[in-house]
Amino acid sequence: MGRFGKLVAAAAIALAAVTTAQAAGEQAELKKVSLPHMNPFGSYDFAAVQRGLQVYQEVCAACHSIEFLAFRDLNDTGLTPPQVKAIAAEYTVMDGPNDDGEMYERPAEPKDRFPLTFPNEQAARAANNGAYPPDLSLVVKARIGHENYIYSLLVGYADPPADKELADGMEYNPTFPGGQIAMAAPLSDEAVEYADGTKATVDQMARDVTTFLAWVSEPTLVERRQLGIKVIIFLVIFSVLMYAVKRKVWADLH
Amino acid sequence: MPLFNANNPIVKWVDYRLPVFSFADAHLIDYPAPKNLNYWYNFGSIAGIMLVVQIATGIVLAMHYNPSADQAFNSVEHIMREVNYGWLIRYMHANGASMFFIAVYIHIFRGMYYGSYKSPREILWWMGIIILLLMMGSAFMGYVLPWGQMSFWGATVITNLFSALPFIGEHIVTWLWGGFSVDNPTLNRFYSLHYLLPFVICGAVFVHLWALHHRKSNNPTGLDIKGPQDTVPFHPYYTVKDILGIAVFGIFFSVFLFFMPNALGEVDNYIKANPLSTPAHIVPEWYFLPFYAILRSIPHKLMGVIAMGASIMILFVLPWLDTSRVRSATFRPVYKQLFWIFVVTCLVLGVVGANPAEGIWLWIGRIFTFIYFMFFLVLPIVGWFERPRPLPAGIAESVLEKSGGGSSGDEGRAA
């Protein structure tokens, strides 16, 4: 690289540094959460996924749907097929038409997806003071900051500073862009009673729900990483062999 | 090194009627390639393999994808969750597009560094630019198909650029959309064209290779092939080297594919398209960012569109803007500096394109847009005053010089 090139390169690097600093903006810095699957080679903590499912069912599901999650997917979280069947049976789904042309309700089965909380966006807004609780199927992949954002949002509720004007029905949460959010603080200590006896602190529940939603967003993460390690090991060995072959083939020219 | 027996009666019978064996021999086996091609010359074959990967994965995705505004997003999630290895195919396709562009951009910069666009390879160079344009069209329309927020709003912003044309602009936009906004008809036609264009690219690649094999490869010295002492048969020398390059590039690809498959994407595209809610920042895919930066650095909409178009179109006249009789930057001290300034300019414009067009970014964008075009405008002058370094007598001599003075251990150069 030439002298001028180096100069311009240095300027470009300095510029990139300025950018990163500016990017923060009007949103509070996210708290860093450390979950096992966030390690590049890590796997999901499936006990936490199961606890997160419980928090989702008992707290979040009142407003938020997970349209892409089927009950049978829960088989991958360590729950046994009878347990999954029992969870599904707690829900009713619309089926039909039957031979009389009628739609009918029946208990959900593992093949079904989790029923939607609201039939459409308008119904959701009508029930939530105009706010629209987003579907959570992909939420961890669909937010800047990913797991850190979800965790920070859930534990980020606080009393508003004196100078902060909140709109009617809004809550103060500095993690949310703009600082005010229509969702009231969803978690409080002992909001659920964990089946496995874990103490249900806000922090614990926030971690568990974050783990659960990460799994819902990317259920194939563990399989992907396992395959990736094999593929890369193969390619590294193959590359070394091809390099040796290349050396040998070219040797007579050098 | 014959791979088949030319005296075999079946081979003879077939070859007499359809010369597939002679063709393979002339273009894949005995094809004479300069013996001094370095590893930068691997990116052509890597780009070719990426085209194959994109077509293969794309055909499988098309079997499961549903191109309707209602179902497109859902069907992509169906692929990700319910199709066997659907996540692998889709992530290969999504990241493969980026890998294809990485390979092609390096391939283009390599061509610029060694003067590969110069006579008699102008049409070869043109075909390359046509392939780039087809890739851009294909990638843009492919990005719309998942029908996420960035798909929808990216499509809206980019198609709206045509409205900058005087008189007919609005009509063209309506015609492109098949309606009065980006909607189901837009998605359907983009899908159709996204399936078509890769095969057009294949045709353009064929012509690109035809021109290449007619005039043969350029090489790091930029000197013409003068005789058999300058070349080696393509097989096994470059087949093995190309496979090595593809394997190493495959490792790089795999790191993205398996460990950070969404790193090059935008989070907003995991939210379903919503015509009533505009994302805070509409950003194209990374490979469009330098051009997007040029577009936004011009305050006038039509002029911005023209500048963006010109930033690629100017490559077509590069062979005539460069007046030097020496091809390779290795022997051109001034052009070498300019080349690196140009590379850095493209990278800076990429960073600018990723940031909102306001404040300091606007000015950085304008300065580097100016430098981008200045590169092409000063080239004719450089060719006149630049004093090239002394050229080696030939390709073979340059190789001997290197390995004689040798012990550099730089396999790429010695090769």
Side-chain angles (χ1 to χ4, degrees):
Chain A
M1 190 183 294
R3 189 155 34 93
F4 296 111
K6 275 179 193 148
L7 208 75
V8 187
I13 292 164
L15 210 131
V18 176
T19 329
T20 335
Q22 277 185 343
E26 51 184 303
Q27 197 182 352
E29 204 173 313
L30 298 181
K31 294 185 182 71
K32 296 266 177 287
V33 63
S34 166
L35 301 168
H37 71 271
M38 293 166 74
N39 172 321
F41 300 104
S43 171
Y44 288 117
D45 173 357
F46 282 109
V49 171
Q50 289 182 22
R51 287 195 300 273
L53 168 68
Q54 190 185 343
V55 178
Y56 167 73
Q57 287 180 295
E58 293 178 22
V59 181
C60 320
C63 301
H64 293 276
S65 56
I66 302 189
E67 66 166 319
F68 295 121
L69 183 65
F71 293 104
R72 62 183 153 76
D73 295 333
L74 298 175
N75 286 317
D76 300 337
T77 66
L79 292 169
T80 62
Q83 284 174 314
V84 171
K85 216 169 175 175
I87 291 173
E90 294 166 19
Y91 293 79
T92 44
V93 292
M94 188 66 85
D95 201 348
N98 62 15
D99 291 345
D100 298 324
E102 308 286 338
M103 302 303 283
Y104 60 95
E105 288 193 326
R106 62 165 172 80
E109 293 170 29
K111 68 177 181 186
D112 295 309
R113 290 186 173 181
F114 276 69
L116 297 181
T117 310
F118 299 102
N120 51 55
E121 182 177 337
Q122 288 79 354
R125 285 190 189 275
N128 287 286
N129 198 20
Y132 179 45
D135 185 87
L136 300 181
S137 301
L138 288 159
V139 74
V140 170
K141 289 203 285 192
R143 295 292 182 278
I144 293 166
H146 308 290
E147 286 89 344
N148 291 330
Y149 173 81
I150 305 296
Y151 172 79
S152 303
L153 186 78
L154 289 173
V155 301
Y157 286 86
D159 292 329
D163 58 339
K164 180 82 185 174
E165 292 267 353
L166 292 177
D168 199 29
M170 301 296 266
E171 303 279 333
Y172 178 67
N173 189 329
T175 303
F176 196 70
Q180 45 183 329
I181 184 169
M183 175 170 73
L187 301 176
S188 55
D189 286 335
E190 310 295 336
V192 301
E193 192 178 332
Y194 276 134
D196 66 0
T198 306
K199 193 165 160 39
T201 61
V202 168
D203 186 76
Q204 181 67 41
M205 288 184 287
R207 284 165 185 275
D208 292 344
V209 152
T210 304
T211 306
F212 169 70
L213 291 176
W215 170 74
V216 168
S217 293
E218 186 81 350
T220 53
L221 172 135
V222 180
E223 187 188 5
R224 164 157 64 73
R225 287 174 178 172
Q226 284 171 349
L227 182 60
I229 290 168
K230 290 179 202 157
V231 169
I232 289 175
I233 288 174
F234 169 80
L235 284 175
V236 167
I237 294 172
F238 184 67
S239 298
V240 170
L241 287 177
M242 288 315 293
Y243 182 68
V245 174
K246 193 246 155 201
R247 292 280 300 203
K248 195 160 162 63
V249 166
W250 282 79
D252 59 343
L253 286 186
H254 290 297
Chain B
M1 187 181 279
L3 284 187
F4 50 85
N5 180 1
N7 289 321
N8 180 306
I10 298 173
V11 169
K12 277 169 115 171
W13 188 91
V14 172
D15 209 55
Y16 185 70
R17 286 153 181 83
L18 181 72
V20 279
F21 293 101
S22 315
F23 184 87
D25 188 65
H27 291 285
L28 299 172
I29 297 168
D30 280 340
Y31 171 71
K35 56 167 64 166
N36 60 337
L37 301 185
N38 59 29
Y39 279 107
W40 294 110
Y41 282 78
N42 277 66
F43 288 94
S45 68
I46 290 170
I49 286 290
M50 288 317 304
L51 176 61
V52 173
V53 168
Q54 289 305 89
I55 290 178
T57 53
I59 286 172
V60 177
L61 288 175
M63 294 173 187
H64 302 280
Y65 171 76
N66 183 344
S68 76
D70 277 348
Q71 288 302 314
F73 190 92
N74 295 357
S75 69
V76 170
E77 278 310 306
H78 163 67
I79 290 168
M80 291 296 287
R81 289 159 193 270
E82 282 150 6
V83 174
N84 287 331
Y85 289 100
W87 59 268
L88 178 62
I89 302 288
R90 186 202 162 217
Y91 277 153
M92 272 177 95
H93 198 73
N95 286 279
S98 287
M99 297 300 135
F100 195 3
F101 272 99
I102 289 173
V104 160
Y105 282 149
I106 294 175
H107 187 64
I108 294 170
F109 281 129
R110 190 273 290 148
M112 289 178 72
Y113 188 84
Y114 293 120
S116 303
Y117 48 82
K118 295 172 80 129
S119 176
R121 298 187 180 84
E122 297 93 328
I123 296 182
L124 172 62
W125 173 252
W126 285 351
M127 289 317 299
I129 304 164
I130 289 169
I131 292 168
L132 176 65
L133 289 169
L134 288 167
M135 280 174 66
M136 291 176 143
S138 200
F140 164 65
M141 287 189 272
Y143 193 63
V144 175
L145 303 185
W147 212 239
Q149 274 288 68
M150 216 44 102
S151 299
F152 181 89
W153 289 99
T156 302
V157 168
I158 300 301
T159 47
N160 251 320
L161 293 179
F162 288 91
S163 71
L165 295 171
F167 310 116
I168 50 167
E170 296 289 342
H171 297 287
I172 288 182
V173 173
T174 307
W175 178 73
L176 286 174
W177 286 342
F180 299 100
S181 66
V182 173
D183 205 341
N184 204 52
T186 326
L187 176 61
N188 279 216
R189 62 192 54 192
F190 278 18
Y191 179 54
S192 173
L193 293 172
H194 182 69
Y195 208 119
L196 169 69
L197 283 187
F199 299 99
V200 180
I201 294 177
C202 286
V205 167
F206 177 80
V207 180
H208 191 64
L209 291 175
W210 186 6
L212 174 74
H213 281 222
H214 182 54
R215 281 289 148 220
K216 308 287 185 285
S217 293
N218 184 30
N219 65 86
T221 65
L223 301 173
D224 288 325
I225 296 171
K226 295 203 179 77
Q229 75 280 6
D230 291 339
T231 65
V232 290
F234 191 78
H235 180 76
Y237 293 97
Y238 286 111
T239 42
V240 67
K241 196 169 173 181
D242 277 346
I243 293 171
L244 170 59
I246 288 161
V248 173
F249 192 78
I251 298 171
F252 174 73
F253 184 7
S254 298
V255 170
F256 278 91
L257 168 56
F258 292 106
F259 292 96
M260 39 207 271
N262 294 306
L264 298 171
E266 287 292 323
V267 292
D268 289 81
N269 229 27
Y270 280 111
I271 302 171
K272 271 186 204 182
N274 182 351
L276 300 177
S277 147
T278 317
H281 298 295
I282 299 175
V283 195
E285 289 280 83
W286 69 266
Y287 36 78
F288 292 135
L289 290 175
F291 309 104
Y292 192 56
I294 291 173
L295 169 77
R296 296 190 306 174
S297 66
I298 312 280
H300 185 273
K301 188 174 176 186
L302 179 59
M303 294 313 286
V305 173
I306 290 172
M308 182 173 69
S311 68
I312 299 174
M313 291 305 163
I314 201 165
L315 292 171
F316 279 103
V317 292
L318 179 59
W320 295 275
L321 291 176
D322 184 350
T323 49
S324 174
R325 58 187 174 78
V326 175
R327 288 200 189 98
S328 174
T330 313
F331 307 106
R332 298 187 56 190
V334 180
Y335 176 71
K336 189 192 265 183
Q337 304 276 357
L338 280 180
F339 170 83
W340 286 112
I341 290 173
F342 182 73
V343 172
V344 172
T345 300
C346 292
L347 296 175
V348 172
L349 283 173
V351 176
V352 172
N355 282 282
E358 55 198 30
I360 186 164
W361 289 112
L362 198 54
W363 286 103
I364 297 170
R366 285 176 184 168
I367 292 164
F368 280 89
T369 297
F370 178 76
I371 299 174
Y372 183 97
F373 286 105
M374 279 312 287
F375 169 78
F376 294 96
L377 297 182
V378 301
L379 266 188
I381 308 162
V382 172
W384 291 326
F385 76 76
E386 182 182 50
R387 223 171 244 217
R389 287 175 33 212
L391 299 174
I395 295 170
E397 288 80 354
S398 82
V399 173
L400 287 177
E401 227 169 75
K402 280 229 169 82
S403 48
S407 77
S408 71
D410 187 338
E411 178 62 26
R413 284 159 178 275

